Amino acid sequence: MIQLEKVSKTYQTDKVETLALKDIDLHVKEAEFVCIMGPSGCGKSTLLNLIGLLDRPGAGAIRVGGAPVKSYRDKDVATLRNRTFGFIFQNFHLISDLRVIDNVELPLLYRANITAAERKRLAREALEKVGLGARMEHYPNQLSGGQQQRVAIARAIVGRPQVLLADEPTGNLDSKMGAEVMDILLKLNAEGTTVVMVTHDETEARRANRIVRVFDGQLVA
Ligand code: ADP
Ligand code: ADP
């Protein structure tokens, strides 16, 4: 599904160069659930951003579904990204003055050939999948943190992506709400969606197929 070969990434800010990732070889298979773990600053978010084609590597090759991304133009990378990935973040990133249903519809606004009624239907379906069918008319601040994260998951899956990328999705949730979010990710994975998730929680990570450990920008296990 996703292959990284000898991938490195250096950030350049003013006079400071940070080698965030070095010679990463990683193969994420279809329908796998992979957890990425490691101390703060070791390169986990950078790795997730590269996998999700939000950023380009300084060296090495990334393949998504067999296609070498390097040969794509920016516009085509964006198309591939939107078709392949759904993103979930620690801080939900919901738009506070849009209702839940309108937040979930957002990724579909960029799609051609889809009617407003079809967008609504898909958004409703996604919300039902995360158990929030009754909350569609609410605003995000009327929901608990766990519910807001479930809205964010609905938004991430509404376009039926093959891969869900989650950067510490339970980091701001208590353990009960975190476990609920984890249950939903596992359910989506069981239905065939590939999941790559950054977490600091060993209990959560043990529920995945595989744990990838990063230290100082390198894969160590
Ligand atoms: P983690 O997600 O494991 O906390 P990151 O991938 O965010 O780690 O960061 C890895 C390293 O790269 C850190 O030293 C961080 O400060 C640096 N870094 C990340 N993003 C940038 C950026 N946009 N510009 C400069 N340095 C960055
Ligand atoms: P994490 O929850 O993994 O610690 P952060 O909040 O540190 O994530 O980073 C979120 C994003 O901010 C990173 O993916 C990266 O793009 C950017 N970032 C992180 N560190 C830096 C930095 N030192 N300079 C600029 N941007 C950064």
Side-chain angles (χ1 to χ4, degrees), residues 35 78 88 93 101 150 152 167 187 195:
C35 276
I88 306 162
H93 288 190
I101 181 102
R150 279 149 61 192
D167 198 346
K187 184 179 86 175
V195 181

Side-chain angles (χ1 to χ4, degrees), residues 99-102 120 127 132-139 142:
R99 294 174 309 163
V100 161
I101 181 102
D102 301 321
K120 273 256 134 46
L127 281 163
L132 288 176
R135 300 295 192 132
M136 295 191 290
E137 308 294 325
H138 284 80
Y139 286 87
Q142 296 174 304

